[in-house]
Amino acid sequence: MAASPALSAFRLPPLPTIREIIKLFKLRALKQLSQNFLLDLRLTDKIVRKAGNLTNAYVYEVGPGPGGITRSILNANVAELLVVEKDSRFIPGLQMLSDAAPGKLRIVHGDVLTYKIERAFPQSLKKKWEDDPPNIHIIGNLPFSVSTPLIIKWLENVSCRDGPFAYGRTQMTLTFQKEVAERLTANTGGKQRSRLSVMAQYLCNVQHILTIPGRAFVPKPEVDVGVVHFTPLTQPRIDQPFKLVEKVVQNVFQFRRKYCHRGLGMLFPEVQRLENTGKLLELADVDPTLRPCQLSVSHFKSLCDVYRKMCDADPHLFAYNFRDELQRNKRSKQKEGNKESFTL
Ligand code: SAM
């Protein structure tokens, strides 16, 4: 009788514990690289379970370090696991895991910020954007200083359907500082509602799936950690270029405690500010006295759609940056000041 898939599932053979690996290869966490390791395999199993069903999946793990999450992924019966690690000290320990899981673990010594994952997996895994997500998952516990810029880069990739999303709607499960996880998933009106909430939620279904107390890491970070799951949406909630949405959202949230018209005004040169802000809000049918955190994704959709039309009508508008105007005004005031003191 053929073995059932459950019975034939792959399990790693007995190995030294992660703590022993750390000792064996002298993998002291480097504070300047914000390295905090997960040593409890029950916890890494839980993170991996929360990522979804990984049977026969192709998984891209970012920043495997001493390999706790890596082991749990390998035990989830994946087809292949590709890990990208920047710190060469971890490569021999990962090599030991690769020997224990023949043909399953591919190790790259590199930087996730520049690694081209779109060429790494078989092209046959590609799915149409409207189809179910491909059987490719991204999983990682990276330093917070890397995970936040990386998610912004990947959200732009979602919008352009390139990078990891050249395969289709690739799912991601990533850790963040708990407050960042709360911002990513905050609802309209929520205390943590921010630029990140809108940027993530207009492109993805975003779920805060787990909170891990700081004490679960070695060494213990100052903060707790949130695990967030992202599934790109078949239809983005705002159908405009990423950079345009980013500009509108950034301008609104730069004055997060003021009425939204204050930040929106900064989209326009000073001479036309009042008139154009009024026009934008009126055409988008948005109440100027709403605070940034009270704006829903559909409010942002209307604002972006109208702003896009205004940019199409005035080719210089999109390039306008109020900070440049401030600098110019400051310089010309300084010049005036110099002239006056010279005349005196
Ligand atoms: N994932 C491991 C765990 O949970 O125990 C290690 C976590 S530690 C917070 C982050 C890991 O990401 C470290 O191994 C670090 O060297 C690696 N890392 C940091 N920046 C990276 C980058 N730009 N590219 C690849 N790896 C990176």
Side-chain angles (χ1 to χ4, degrees):
M1 199 174 71
S4 75
L7 288 176
S8 62
F10 172 84
R11 296 296 297 180
L12 282 166
L15 289 165
T17 63
I18 300 286
R19 202 178 282 279
E20 285 162 350
I21 293 272
I22 289 174
K23 266 203 188 136
L24 190 65
F25 294 103
K26 301 192 175 61
L27 303 176
R28 194 172 48 83
L30 296 179
K31 210 171 169 195
Q32 67 272 30
L33 293 184
S34 310
Q35 291 177 337
N36 309 97
F37 305 138
L38 281 168
L39 309 189
D40 179 352
L41 292 182
R42 279 167 312 181
L43 190 53
T44 55
D45 280 350
K46 192 168 175 183
I47 296 173
V48 169
R49 264 199 314 276
K50 293 263 180 189
N53 180 3
L54 298 186
T55 307
N56 292 328
Y58 287 72
V59 181
Y60 174 33
E61 190 196 357
V62 288
I69 298 178
T70 318
R71 290 185 188 206
S72 297
I73 298 172
L74 287 170
N75 278 332
N77 224 19
V78 296
E80 186 184 308
L81 169 59
L82 167 69
V83 296
V84 174
E85 172 56 59
K86 192 175 178 182
D87 185 340
S88 60
R89 297 176 308 141
F90 294 109
I91 304 298
L94 293 167
Q95 194 54 54
M96 182 188 259
L97 279 183
S98 175
D99 296 341
K104 285 206 180 269
L105 176 59
R106 224 180 338 147
I107 305 163
V108 173
H109 176 211
D111 189 327
V112 297
L113 291 166
T114 49
Y115 185 70
K116 298 234 177 298
I117 185 66
E118 56 271 42
R119 299 201 198 124
F121 291 133
Q123 297 302 302
S124 56
L125 295 172
K126 279 190 175 176
K127 287 271 187 88
K128 283 204 194 104
W129 193 261
E130 300 68 29
D131 289 351
D132 285 342
N135 205 2
I136 299 176
H137 295 249
I138 299 176
I139 301 180
N141 171 34
L142 280 166
F144 304 136
S145 56
V146 179
S147 56
T148 307
L150 189 63
I151 193 62
I152 294 174
K153 175 173 144 69
W154 278 346
L155 287 171
E156 183 163 9
N157 289 143
V158 171
S159 142
C160 301
R161 303 181 183 183
D162 60 13
F165 311 96
Y167 298 101
R169 296 184 297 119
T170 303
Q171 300 178 68
M172 306 180 269
T173 307
L174 301 167
T175 60
F176 298 89
Q177 183 176 335
K178 185 172 154 244
E179 286 68 25
V180 175
E182 286 169 354
R183 266 181 242 153
L184 282 161
T185 51
N187 290 328
T188 311
K191 223 170 88 194
Q192 299 282 13
R193 185 77 167 175
S194 67
R195 180 172 76 99
L196 268 184
S197 330
V198 181
M199 295 309 290
Q201 293 168 30
Y202 97 82
L203 288 163
C204 296
N205 185 349
V206 195
Q207 283 176 294
H208 184 166
I209 51 176
L210 189 66
T211 299
I212 310 175
R215 68 183 130 77
F217 295 81
V218 178
K220 177 181 171 301
E222 297 297 311
V223 291
D224 292 338
V225 171
V227 186
V228 181
H229 186 80
F230 302 81
T231 310
L233 296 165
T234 41
Q235 193 58 46
R237 294 194 174 107
I238 304 175
D239 196 9
Q240 293 295 350
F242 185 85
K243 290 288 180 213
L244 184 140
V245 181
E246 193 177 41
K247 188 173 183 195
V248 172
V249 175
Q250 238 166 17
N251 273 271
V252 168
F253 277 100
Q254 70 183 317
F255 300 109
R256 52 176 302 119
R257 291 185 197 291
K258 308 263 189 227
Y259 293 141
C260 66
H261 71 80
R262 179 78 171 83
L264 283 168
M266 295 310 187
L267 290 168
F268 304 106
E270 210 173 339
V271 280
Q272 322 147 354
R273 188 162 290 154
L274 212 60
E275 187 193 336
N276 277 340
T277 315
K279 190 168 146 193
L280 169 63
L281 283 156
E282 194 186 328
L283 290 175
D285 196 17
V286 171
D287 176 352
T289 64
L290 286 174
R291 312 267 174 194
C293 69
Q294 294 173 307
L295 296 178
S296 64
V297 172
S298 80
H299 283 131
F300 276 104
K301 174 187 164 27
S302 312
L303 290 167
C304 290
D305 288 348
V306 176
Y307 178 61
R308 168 69 188 265
K309 282 193 186 135
M310 294 171 96
C311 288
D312 288 346
D314 171 0
H316 300 296
L317 183 57
F318 187 67
Y320 170 75
N321 181 338
F322 78 95
R323 286 179 211 281
D324 298 342
E325 190 171 20
L326 278 180
Q327 282 298 326
R328 269 197 308 276
N329 288 348
K330 210 166 141 189
R331 273 199 298 272
S332 71
K333 268 196 190 137
Q334 266 167 359
K335 258 191 198 165
E336 285 301 312
N338 289 347
K339 252 194 226 163
E340 267 173 33
S341 52
F342 184 70
T343 325
L344 283 171

